[in-house]
Amino acid sequence: MQSEANRHYLRASYDNKAIKILLVGCGGNGAQMLMGLASLDTALRAISSRSLHVTVVDDDTVSEANLGRQPFYPCDLGNSKARTMTERINLAHGLAWKAVHGRAPADVNVAAMDIVITCVDTAAARRAIGAAIDACEPEFHNLQPPAYWLDLGNRATDGQFIIGCPKASGDQPGRLPTVMEYFPELADESLAEDDAPSCSVAEALDRQSLFVNRVVASHALALLFDLLGRGSIGHAGAFLNLASGQALPIPLPTAPVEVAA
């Protein structure tokens, strides 16, 4: 049985507030995350004093290849992914979440957020977000850097998600390493990247399993619910494999975690 000392606790300052989330990417993983965040917001309002305010940023538009694996419809073809999904969520749930048709960090203020969630295809995109977070200097600005960075990624039939605490938000004992620290190879700009778009639904399904995004996003959302709804988590993420049916948790740092005010 896991000891209480080996848990990460949500900061007390997150009580009685709307938690600002930046969702980077509204494609395979991102659109699934956005729908789940709407459900999470409803749950938080029912069981706690917390709620969510989400800003979605993506510069992509809906193509035919997105139909089936991503939650878009023929009537959405050619429209902004971020605006389409956000408008749909706002209408269904009575929310006023924001959509930005652009790229992060160039078109949105990363430092204004409590949590950054990246659902991007390339290491270069993760490096750009990481650099923007690291550049936050709270002693010179009124805005605090994000306290958490949750990253999701996947291949054809496997994926992973990991939540970390950027160093800019404070290097307290037991700080959770970010995706850039857990996978230092992401910093290597010489590595080749495979982010070529698919031209058809059939080709898209050859490249990625139909439900891999839904599975990865569901596990990541469950972790967020434990953190924001229950106040603590016992692992920092997981590796998931749809082909083998295995899930391997990513453990927390071994040092006891202090509750920060």
Side-chain angles (χ1 to χ4, degrees):
M1 182 176 179
Q2 190 176 42
S3 67
E4 286 298 314
N6 196 27
R7 296 190 69 82
H8 176 85
Y9 292 91
L10 182 68
R11 297 180 179 186
S13 57
Y14 280 83
D15 286 332
N16 304 307
K17 68 173 293 185
I19 298 171
K20 294 174 291 184
I21 293 180
L22 174 63
L23 177 61
V24 184
C26 196
N29 289 324
Q32 297 292 340
M33 284 296 296
L34 182 58
M35 293 190 296
L37 288 171
S39 298
L40 179 57
D41 175 72
T42 300
L44 290 176
R45 292 174 186 270
I47 66 173
S48 74
S49 56
R50 305 180 189 108
S51 60
L52 303 180
H53 185 274
V54 179
T55 298
V56 187
V57 57
D58 195 313
D59 69 345
D60 199 8
T61 57
V62 181
S63 69
E64 183 181 353
N66 300 141
L67 306 182
R69 193 171 58 82
Q70 298 181 20
F72 296 106
Y73 307 101
C75 61
D76 299 326
L77 291 174
N79 295 333
S80 163
K81 287 185 177 181
R83 291 172 181 163
T84 297
M85 284 301 302
T86 305
E87 289 171 4
R88 194 167 288 156
I89 291 295
N90 285 342
L91 181 63
H93 293 267
L95 297 169
W97 290 358
K98 181 181 178 181
V100 176
H101 184 74
R103 290 195 174 192
D107 299 313
V108 68
N109 188 358
V110 174
M113 304 298 166
D114 298 308
I115 301 173
V116 172
I117 303 175
T118 44
C119 299
V120 296
D121 295 328
T122 66
R126 291 179 174 87
R127 286 195 295 269
I129 294 294
I133 292 174
D134 289 342
C136 295
E137 298 176 347
E139 63 268 27
F140 300 116
H141 304 282
N142 292 326
L143 297 174
Q144 294 295 316
Y148 294 100
W149 177 6
L150 173 62
D151 180 79
L152 287 72
N154 70 278
R155 296 183 297 182
T157 60
D158 62 88
Q160 74 287 324
F161 63 99
I162 182 169
I163 191 167
C165 302
K167 289 182 178 179
S169 66
D171 201 8
Q172 67 270 22
R175 183 184 63 85
L176 306 180
T178 67
V179 62
M180 297 299 294
E181 296 171 275
Y182 201 92
F183 302 107
E185 62 272 18
L186 292 173
D188 187 351
E189 298 182 7
S190 67
L191 291 179
E193 301 196 82
D194 180 16
D195 60 343
S198 303
C199 297
S200 68
V201 175
E203 183 181 351
L205 293 176
D206 275 341
R207 293 168 60 88
Q208 291 188 30
S209 175
L210 179 59
F211 295 113
V212 64
N213 302 122
R214 193 173 301 182
V215 171
V216 174
S218 293
H219 280 260
L221 287 161
L223 186 77
L224 268 185
F225 175 69
D226 283 344
L227 180 63
L228 301 180
R230 305 302 188 195
S232 70
I233 53 176
H235 63 286
F239 298 98
L240 308 168
N241 191 308
L242 272 65
S244 66
Q246 292 180 311
L248 180 64
I250 297 174
L252 297 174
T254 54
V257 176
E258 294 182 359
V259 182

